[in-house]
Amino acid sequence: MTRQRMYFKMITSSLMRRRSRMLVALLAVAIGSTILSGLVTIYYDVPRQMAQEFRSYGANLLLVSADTNPLKRESVNHARSIIPGGKLVGLTPFRYETVKINNQPFMAAGTDFEQVQKTSPYWLVSGSYPQKEDEVLLGQTVASAVALSTGSKVSLNGLDSEGKAFSQSFTVSGIVQTGGSEEECLYMNLEKLESLMKNSGILDVAECSVSLSGKELENLAGTLSLNVEGVNPKPVKRLAKSEGTVLKKLQSLVYIVTLVVLILTMVCVATTMMAVVAERRQEIGLKKSLGASNQSIVGEFLGEGLFLGALGGILGVILGFAFAQAVSVNVFARSISFQPLLVPVTIVVSVLVTGLACLLPVRSATEVDPALVLKGE
């Protein structure tokens, strides 16, 4: 039998003889590793989860004209090509024109309804979004002012870009409620509004929902400003600031909880190992009297502690992911992604914490006087 195998067998045999105490230490290490692995997994995945959650509050980046000229659709399409595809949730163009309903002026907005549902999921629509060119979506304020409801016919009148009058009938497909200024507009397909106005390719604003926050969003705005002519990107600072604040608080919480859990783990392991040393004083004294050196005593006890740390770390990785998954599903209703790098990190941290916790008990073991112990004192 090789020295390594003998050493390993000696450690495992010693642990098995004191199963109850070592199980307490193992549970302490496993729980600490679980909290560490779970919280770090949540911390690294929560920005992605929160970015998706914050997108339900609307766009976080606006594209407007950089000068007095109208915003061009070609420029918006160019900007879309620069935004990383995996980060772009939606990009909704808007063009506003004044029209009349029953001789009352209202603001008509031409847009892309498929993109609206991505960038503004908070819109509450009674009925449905327009599916045809002759359908419109009315804001609640507009619908109340002209006494229209879902399924009603509405006639729009106005002047096109050439100063010629137009009049066309539409069907109200739905009523939108947001609690904001969106309720003061009626919405139609962008191409249909362009055909009524007899010009195309002109926009007033494009709303972007991007899975970025804080500095990343600012960097994207700077990139678009430098590379897209005629476009002035404006981050919606209220959303970006709120997201950044929440993430900073979460970071502080993870650090504090992790530190507290690791300290408690060290205390529990140290207490257990001190009790083990007290139980094994006669064994230690006998070994020393037979010629065992302090170095061999230290190696034995540290080996037991580090073995517990590694085993507890492995259990912590498994249980930590299950813990993080449960938190993510219950809080965000989404699955969490596994972080492979956390496997070695969690095991190494568990081993280090256990090793530090064993230093005091190991020192106590080396101070055992074999003469006094063998005398029964």
Side-chain angles (χ1 to χ4, degrees), residues 74-200:
E74 292 82 1
S75 299
V76 172
N77 291 335
H78 185 198
R80 180 196 294 270
S81 66
I82 294 177
I83 299 174
K87 300 296 184 180
L88 181 63
V89 177
L91 191 155
T92 306
F94 285 97
R95 174 178 175 176
Y96 298 99
E97 298 289 350
T98 301
V99 298
K100 290 185 178 181
I101 305 175
N102 299 336
N103 294 320
Q104 297 184 57
F106 294 98
M107 187 65 68
T111 188
D112 182 337
F113 291 107
E114 181 180 351
Q115 295 298 314
V116 165
Q117 296 175 66
K118 296 178 180 179
T119 58
S120 303
Y122 62 91
W123 283 21
L124 179 60
V125 176
S126 300
S128 63
Y129 281 92
Q131 302 294 324
K132 303 176 182 178
E133 283 194 352
D134 62 347
E135 292 181 339
V136 294
L137 187 67
L138 297 185
Q140 181 63 55
T141 303
V142 178
S144 300
V146 294
L148 292 175
S149 60
T150 301
S152 301
K153 295 290 184 179
V154 57
S155 180
L156 301 185
N157 305 282
L159 298 176
D160 60 25
S161 60
E162 299 174 357
K164 298 180 181 179
F166 65 83
S167 177
Q168 188 162 346
S169 178
F170 292 86
T171 301
V172 178
S173 67
I175 309 297
V176 60
Q177 297 178 341
T178 65
S181 59
E182 294 88 354
E183 295 185 4
E184 300 174 2
C185 297
L186 63 90
Y187 301 89
M188 66 175 65
N189 184 275
L190 178 59
E191 286 73 18
K192 184 61 181 179
L193 181 62
E194 289 177 337
S195 67
L196 290 177
M197 301 308 299
K198 295 295 191 297
N199 60 11
S200 61

Side-chain angles (χ1 to χ4, degrees), residues 281 371-377:
R281 290 183 77 249
L372 295 177
V373 170
L374 294 178
K375 284 181 180 180
E377 298 181 7

Side-chain angles (χ1 to χ4, degrees), residues 172-250:
V172 178
S173 67
I175 309 297
V176 60
Q177 297 178 341
T178 65
S181 59
E182 294 88 354
E183 295 185 4
E184 300 174 2
C185 297
L186 63 90
Y187 301 89
M188 66 175 65
N189 184 275
L190 178 59
E191 286 73 18
K192 184 61 181 179
L193 181 62
E194 289 177 337
S195 67
L196 290 177
M197 301 308 299
K198 295 295 191 297
N199 60 11
S200 61
I202 297 174
L203 300 173
D204 288 290
V205 65
E207 297 183 355
C208 302
S209 184
V210 189
S211 295
L212 297 173
S213 61
K215 196 65 177 178
E216 292 179 327
L217 189 62
E218 294 286 348
N219 292 339
L220 176 61
T223 300
L224 294 176
S225 180
L226 291 174
N227 293 279
V228 184
E229 185 179 357
V231 170
N232 180 20
K234 292 185 175 181
V236 181
K237 294 185 178 180
R238 175 176 55 85
L239 282 176
K241 185 177 180 181
S242 298
E243 191 170 351
T245 301
V246 172
L247 289 176
K248 286 181 179 179
K249 290 182 178 180
L250 176 66

